[in-house]
Structures are given as structure tokens and as C-alpha cells.
Amino acid sequence: NTGGYWGMGRTTHVSFHPSRKEIFYVASPNGGIWKTLDGGKTYSSIAEDLPYQRVGIVLSDPTQSNVLYATLGEKEGWWQYSLGVYKTTDGGSNWKPTGLQWKLTDEKVIYALQMNPLNSTILIAATSDGLYKTFNGGNSWTKLQAGNFSDVVYKPGDTTVVYAASYDYWGQSNVYKSTDGGNQFVRVTDFGLQKVFLRLVTTPADPNYLGLNMSVDGEKRFYLSKNNASGFDFVSNMPENLVLYFSPKDKSILYCGYVVIYKSVDGGMTWNQITDWWASGRGLPEIHADHHFIGHHPLDPDQLYFGCDGGVYRYRESTEQWEELVNGLAIT
């Protein structure tokens, strides 16, 4: 692989077509949204109509392939202000604002956007202005919970359970849980920690698992609940943690990283480096630095997709082989 050091440009999210494995969508903060029809060999832009090319998240509707949602603005920091959630019903030719729309001068951020796996007209957004939910495909949004929220995820296989992470820099950051599909949330942790940005991670390999990714005074901590957030145990300090992800096939396998990617095969207790961002001579695959996304292909869970400052890379777990997928991504 020759693309690690040079790269193509930053990507922040990947979303997949519901039935055609070779079609997926890539979000970029310096170039909008890109669609591939051939599994990442080539791309074309579908975001020319957007008023703002900084895209943090793109979601594909599994029941209507021409319906997509996008968050305008990046998703990692308080300064990455958002225009809200936009929607297309014609595959990207035309985009319209949903009922969740702001001005950049409102200084609000969308950190996460999740679609109900069983009802694509229901979406939940974790924002610096609270948790918002739509029941009608984005036409209107209800604020479920006030406050600053850094993440929200559905429990795999059970859409009645939703987890959210609050973000209070000077106060406390904690985990919240809903058992009614996200209408009402109850705080389930009391970490008592300041200046902590929480991210949540689940795996279909064990729906009862909920992992917590947090930085505390420079320590990159991984906590794990094996009982639906009823209690959390400290597992390890990670070497890097801008991204953290479970294997969808094996709950004992995890990946973490930022500049490079590390892999754990013992449930996150120990970590081994599996990539390098330049040709260091150590024999590791050369994959570009600064990772912002990991996700698996729902039609082929053996494929993991990594979004970084160099574009998109695909990793096949069974063979441990990497593939660079950047041809045509004009996002430098």
C-alpha cells in the first residue's frame, strides 16, 4: 500500500446501500458527500446542492434507497458548528433542510445521528443543544433531553433501548439510557469526572455490551458494561482513542486508534499496533493518519471501513488485508 503518507483528504462517515453491496456513501468535511457504484473504485459527488460542504454524517434509508440524511458540520469538537440535518429524496440531486436547522452563528454542534433500524422515519440526534428526535423523517423534531450530548446509539437488535452520553466539560459527563425507544432517558452512571468527552460503542456480536471511550487527564480509558449499562468496569488504558470499535463478529476483538490503528483480541485488555502512517520499515501496512470513523458493512460484516485524513480504507478481518479506496474522491 502506497497511500498512507500522501492520502487524499479527510472523511468522517460511511453509509451503505441497503441491498447493493457495491454502493456506499462517504461524508467529507472538505468536499460534501460522495457515492460509489463499484465498491469504492470510483466516486461521484452527490452534494453539489448543499449550502455547506462540511458534512459530518451521512445516513442511507434502508427502505428507500434515494433517501439520505446528512449533518452539515463536523462532529468531533465544540467549535464545529452545524447548519443542522438536511435530507434528499432523489439520491442527492436536491437537498432540503429538515426541521432541525440552525445558523452557524447559533454555534450548535451535531455529534451523532442515528436512524431507528426498524423505522427509518425515526431518527435521534445527539447535539450540543440536547437530544432531538423526529418521528416523521425529519419534518419536525422534538427535544427529548436538554443539555450537551456527545453520542447516541441504539442497542443492537432492540430498538426500545437507546443509550446516550452527556458532555458537561465543567460538570459531569455520564451515560443515559432509554427503554421506550428514546422518548425518555434516565441517567445510569455517576462517574464524577470533569472535562470528559464520552463516546459509546456496541456490537451485534453481543447486544448486551456497551463500551465507553473516554479521555481523563490524558488517559484514554476503555470501560465496558456487559449488562445493558447496569454497571461498567474499567478494562484498560488505550494507546489512542479518537476511534474505538468492536468487531461485529467477535466481541473479544476491538480496534482503536487515531494516528495509527491498534487491535485487541482479548476484549480490550491489551493492544497491538497493526498499521503505520508512513513507511517506517517495521513491515506494517501503511495507512494514512488521523482516523475519524470505523464501521462495518451490514451486508458483509467481514469488511470494516476506516475513514481518515487520507480518505477511505477497507479492512477484511478474515485475511487482515487492507485496501485503499480513494480514486475520484476530490476532497484534498
Side-chain angles (χ1 to χ4, degrees), residues 164-209:
S166 67
Y167 174 45
D168 186 343
Y169 186 81
W170 295 114
Q172 291 190 34
S173 298
N174 280 296
V175 178
Y176 285 70
K177 180 180 178 180
S178 170
T179 56
D180 61 4
N183 297 329
Q184 294 181 307
F185 284 84
V186 175
R187 183 168 61 85
V188 294
T189 62
D190 186 14
F191 289 121
L193 298 171
Q194 285 187 321
K195 305 177 184 178
V196 174
F197 191 84
L198 290 176
R199 289 287 198 186
L200 309 173
V201 58
T202 62
T203 173
D206 192 330
N208 297 323
Y209 269 35

Side-chain angles (χ1 to χ4, degrees), residues 5-189:
Y5 183 80
W6 296 106
M8 184 59 70
R10 182 154 26 130
T11 58
T12 51
H13 199 260
V14 180
S15 186
F16 302 94
H17 188 280
S19 58
R20 295 180 59 184
K21 191 170 76 169
E22 68 277 9
I23 298 178
F24 57 84
Y25 309 89
V26 177
S28 167
N30 296 303
I33 304 172
W34 296 78
K35 179 180 182 179
T36 178
L37 298 172
D38 52 20
K41 296 177 182 176
T42 59
Y43 295 87
S44 59
S45 172
I46 60 167
E48 302 303 312
D49 187 51
L50 284 175
Y52 192 53
Q53 289 296 299
R54 293 191 177 277
V55 179
I57 301 164
V58 58
L59 293 181
S60 172
D61 187 327
T63 64
Q64 303 175 80
S65 59
N66 282 327
V67 174
L68 299 162
Y69 297 85
T71 63
L72 301 198
E74 292 188 67
K75 57 181 174 61
E76 290 175 0
W78 60 265
W79 62 93
Q80 295 172 335
Y81 303 136
S82 176
L83 287 181
V85 179
Y86 273 62
K87 180 180 181 180
T88 178
T89 57
D90 58 12
S93 297
N94 298 278
W95 291 86
K96 302 295 182 185
T98 68
L100 189 62
Q101 58 174 311
W102 301 314
K103 301 184 294 292
L104 293 181
T105 52
D106 292 332
E107 299 186 351
K108 297 177 181 178
V109 180
I110 298 177
Y111 292 108
L113 181 67
Q114 296 288 347
M115 181 183 290
N116 185 311
L118 298 182
N119 186 341
S120 59
T121 65
I122 297 176
L123 296 93
I124 302 177
T127 83
S128 61
D129 187 48
L131 292 171
Y132 286 86
K133 184 176 183 179
T134 177
F135 296 88
N136 52 23
N139 292 335
S140 60
W141 296 75
T142 302
K143 184 184 284 192
L144 306 171
Q145 188 91 16
N148 194 347
F149 283 84
S150 57
D151 211 353
V152 62
V153 294
Y154 280 91
K155 177 183 175 180
D158 185 355
T159 58
T160 65
V161 177
V162 186
Y163 306 106
S166 67
Y167 174 45
D168 186 343
Y169 186 81
W170 295 114
Q172 291 190 34
S173 298
N174 280 296
V175 178
Y176 285 70
K177 180 180 178 180
S178 170
T179 56
D180 61 4
N183 297 329
Q184 294 181 307
F185 284 84
V186 175
R187 183 168 61 85
V188 294
T189 62

Side-chain angles (χ1 to χ4, degrees), residues 234-249:
F234 172 75
V235 180
S236 69
N237 286 324
M238 295 173 282
E240 294 187 299
N241 73 327
L242 194 65
V243 290
L244 174 66
Y245 203 72
F246 278 102
S247 166
K249 302 184 300 177

Side-chain angles (χ1 to χ4, degrees), residues 260-277:
V260 299
I261 296 297
Y262 297 81
K263 182 177 183 178
S264 173
V265 296
D266 57 11
M269 290 186 290
T270 61
W271 299 89
N272 294 303
Q273 184 177 342
I274 62 169
T275 73
D276 222 331
W277 73 282

